[in-house]
Amino acid sequence: MVALIKEDKISVGGVETDNHLILAAGVLGTTGASLRRMLDLGAGAAVTKSIGPFPKEGHKGPCVYVMEGAVMNAMGLPNPSSDFVNELECLGGKPVIASIFGANPDEFSEVASWFEGKVRGFELNVSCPHAQGYGAQIGSDPDMVRECTRAVAKTGVPTWVKLTPNVTDITEIGIAAEEGGASAVVAINTVKALRISTGLRRPLLGNGTGGLSGPAVFPIALRCVWELYEALSIPVVGCGGVSSADNVIEMIMAGASAVEIGSAVLDGVDIFEKISSELYSDEGEKIGDILGCAH
Amino acid sequence: MKEIPSFPVKITKIIEETPGIKTFEFDRDFEFLPGQFCMVWIPGVDEIPMGLSSKNSITVQKIGEATSALFNLKAGDLIGIKAPLGNGFSLKEGRTLAIAGGVGAAPLRPLALLGIADAFLLGARTKEDLVYAEELSELTDLHIATDDGTFGHHGFVTDLLSEVDPLSFDTICVCGPEIMMAGILRILESLGIAEKGQFSLVRYMKCGVGICGSCCLDDDGLRVCRDGPVFTGDKLLKSSEFAKYSRDASGRRIYGGSGGH
């Protein structure tokens, strides 16, 4: 297998990380303690639960359904809003990226202001597929993406934009983010999906539809990274179904400068250490030598 | 990544244990270890965590929207069950003591049904709030306390520890209000046996499978749904959260009460 050589200093889209593997938003990110646990267990950086302008309880359950090789969720953006700032206290100077959402540029700007000086970067959630008025509803409109990105990027803090695959042309949205001043794009958020309990004759998630993640979406994520790498000049962070070191290398060859890992945590909280132990080798290659090499 | 199915089950029998607590039996048996739990899906309402009170039942206290909806169901109605989830009690060779407060008796009941509990300390507010008392008296050495003295010892379940010798037990399984569990833990700590205590915790859970993080405990970020719900006393002594606060559905801290639905 192709391996990477461990570099002393890793910088992705303006964010310094300890390695190329980042805990994805929404996974074990509700408390500072759980984020710290994942960083201690080998994540090179961690993205928080998405934080919005008002506290939200999220959707009624079932919120998560685990399948063979895939997960479906409709959490509904539960978050404690500004109260979350206190959760960061126990994280010291560790590499944390705040995932934020809002319904318009002003709300994005307000939420971002709470975290300035406390995180290494922002990740704009314009891609959650199951929250009315937020997420993908904004992320499928290039003008809104450009303006929301601009509102946060003007803080000067590295600003990543997490994109939805649930659009006809993801590069159009990626370009809008770049125009708005994004320092990187993250691809992808979950793929809108549905399952039904035949026994109970109703959708398996309380919200009805949800977002699909896990190994099943890896080929979709890889295709999106590939397209964005060709269309943009800013870095692309791969996200979606990554569950092995080989998946990471594949993402890098498609054009990802780092990857985010989420659903694979279901296989164990030690997933970052497991993947790192295979991904890095003293005989490995520099990421720059294989980045986008498959194009 | 393996499927965690939600099995549709039919409610076969509803037993009124107390005015506010009912046992719902269903038509499917689940293999599980005492202390493991299930996610109960009440269609159209919510999905909530519940300890398994036997291989085919849950015992539920009416405390919120989801449990109220459950109370409105009748025999023949369908619900969804994901089970078994989490880690149950880690049982060692030797003698086992069970200590329950209120509906906390639910996840401890299997210990008695399997003949594992040598003694059982059961507490409730009043005589009519006692759950499984008759059944437990046949299965174990049962000691009862009620807050108002209407049955058994007049006082808290913690007082009953003086009726049995905690040092004579190898495993002490506890479930009930967190303030009561903290009282038990203090006593075990003073006897130098905190690690023998195994405490079943309740926290607000959204996913139940260890990925969302809504039930993580301070300071270690342990997930109640996947790393628990049972934790040993020595671990809880290190937690700044235990018996002090929990989190609501949005993740905000709530002081003075344990989470749940």
Side-chain angles (χ1 to χ4, degrees), chain B residues 7-15 22-32 36-41 48 50-60 70 73-84 109:
Chain B
F7 292 102
V9 301
K10 189 179 284 181
I11 295 170
T12 51
K13 192 176 173 190
I14 300 172
I15 303 156
K22 286 182 183 177
T23 293
F24 296 82
E25 289 184 359
F26 32 78
D27 64 351
R28 185 186 181 100
D29 291 352
F30 291 89
E31 289 273 328
F32 76 109
Q36 284 188 302
F37 72 99
C38 58
M39 289 299 282
V40 182
W41 173 21
I48 56 172
M50 282 290 154
L52 285 156
S53 58
S54 79
K55 62 187 188 304
N56 68 331
S57 73
I58 50 173
T59 299
V60 181
L70 199 51
L73 298 183
K74 49 195 184 307
D77 286 341
L78 294 172
I79 54 175
I81 299 281
K82 286 176 192 161
R109 180 188 182 214

Side-chain angles (χ1 to χ4, degrees), chain A residues 31-47:
Chain A
T31 71
S34 56
L35 288 166
R36 197 184 56 196
R37 183 183 186 201
M38 297 313 292
L39 289 161
D40 290 346
L41 286 170
V47 185

Side-chain angles (χ1 to χ4, degrees), chain A residues 96-233:
Chain A
V96 173
I97 296 157
S99 173
I100 62 174
F101 72 90
N104 52 54
D106 286 344
E107 286 189 359
F108 269 100
S109 183
E110 185 194 353
V111 177
S113 70
W114 304 333
F115 294 100
E116 274 184 69
K118 296 186 169 73
V119 293
R120 293 205 189 168
F122 290 119
E123 181 182 281
L124 275 52
N125 180 350
V126 291
S127 39
C128 172
H130 47 75
Q132 201 68 31
Y134 298 111
Q137 286 199 339
I138 288 172
S140 46
D141 176 347
D143 293 334
M144 276 295 271
V145 169
R146 192 182 303 106
E147 293 316 308
C148 291
T149 307
R150 189 164 283 153
V152 176
K154 72 179 182 206
T155 59
V157 179
T159 300
W160 299 1
V161 180
K162 189 168 181 179
L163 304 175
T164 174
N166 305 308
V167 289
T168 310
D169 180 5
I170 196 169
T171 63
E172 185 189 10
I173 311 296
I175 288 166
E178 186 171 275
E179 287 169 354
S183 33
V185 291
V186 182
I188 55 177
N189 204 315
T190 53
V191 182
K192 198 168 182 179
L194 174 73
R195 287 293 303 274
I196 289 169
S197 161
T198 53
L200 290 174
R201 302 177 183 227
R202 58 168 67 229
L204 275 162
L205 295 179
N207 183 59
T209 59
L212 193 74
S213 61
V217 309
F218 180 70
I220 300 171
L222 197 71
R223 182 268 298 173
C224 291
V225 168
W226 174 279
E227 291 179 355
L228 290 160
Y229 181 76
E230 299 223 329
L232 307 184
S233 339

